[in-house]
Amino acid sequence: MTTAPRHYDALSLSERLRNAHAMTRPLMLDIIDHACRRFPSAGQTERSARVMQLIDAEAWADAALALMELELPMWQVRRIAYDEGEWYCALSRERELPDWLDAAIEARHADLALALLSTFVEAQALAAEVSRPSVPSVRPAFNSLYEPVVCDNFG
């Protein structure tokens, strides 16, 4: 496991989760290896050690929730629902907003852990995109002929 994720295709990882029938240890470790930025590989913190204990116990849904808490501290589970054989999960940064105003990430799967991890992978991809500044920072280039002028008309 690495502390910084290698470049990965979130779409490909999402597709693997969607096509999986059940969570497995290799799949969970692959998600941690490719999609996690905060999960330490050496000198594990208490929270990452807890995730590993849950993985060892095959407590997949609890491990997914603990991984979300560790990796996406600004995101919260908005909804977990079971309907007609599928789990529906939603993650949100603004859980207190009404549903119609919130831009939640939603996923569904017959397996609860896979539904949770599908939302996690999408949120991680979105967080990686958002971490770049929305406004490019440009250093001003000063021209020797440029002189600022006040143009206020108080008359």
Side-chain angles (χ1 to χ4, degrees):
M1 285 174 267
T2 59
T3 55
R6 295 171 287 205
H7 177 70
Y8 77 100
D9 182 8
L11 195 58
S12 170
L13 198 51
S14 292
E15 188 173 323
R16 282 185 57 202
L17 288 167
R18 206 172 15 260
N19 292 332
H21 296 290
M23 178 53 65
T24 62
R25 181 182 177 86
L27 180 55
M28 179 66 98
L29 295 178
D30 200 32
I31 291 166
I32 290 172
D33 191 37
H34 289 92
C36 295
R37 294 176 292 185
R38 296 177 182 202
F39 198 91
S41 60
Q44 291 189 357
T45 65
E46 182 180 321
R47 289 166 63 184
S48 61
R50 170 113 173 98
V51 171
M52 290 309 297
Q53 289 172 348
L54 292 167
I55 292 170
D56 291 341
E58 296 185 1
W60 304 124
D62 290 335
L65 291 168
L67 194 60
M68 286 181 198
E69 183 181 346
L70 176 66
E71 288 286 320
L72 298 168
M74 301 299 292
W75 291 79
Q76 298 177 344
V77 174
R78 182 175 181 97
R79 179 177 50 255
I80 297 176
Y82 185 78
D83 188 30
E84 296 184 14
E86 287 193 313
W87 288 97
Y88 293 81
C89 300
L91 286 182
S92 173
R93 288 183 58 124
E94 303 290 335
R95 191 171 69 174
E96 302 305 318
L97 288 176
D99 275 349
W100 59 277
L101 281 176
D102 188 20
I105 294 175
E106 299 182 5
R108 65 182 187 174
H109 199 283
D111 183 275
L112 175 58
L114 291 169
L116 289 166
L117 287 168
S118 294
T119 59
F120 168 74
V121 168
E122 286 189 47
Q124 277 288 68
L126 184 62
E129 289 177 18
V130 172
S131 67
R132 290 177 277 166
S134 61
V135 177
S137 55
V138 178
R139 203 173 345 182
F142 293 104
N143 187 335
S144 61
L145 299 176
Y146 172 78
E147 185 175 335
V149 177
V150 176
C151 299
D152 292 336
N153 183 0
F154 296 105

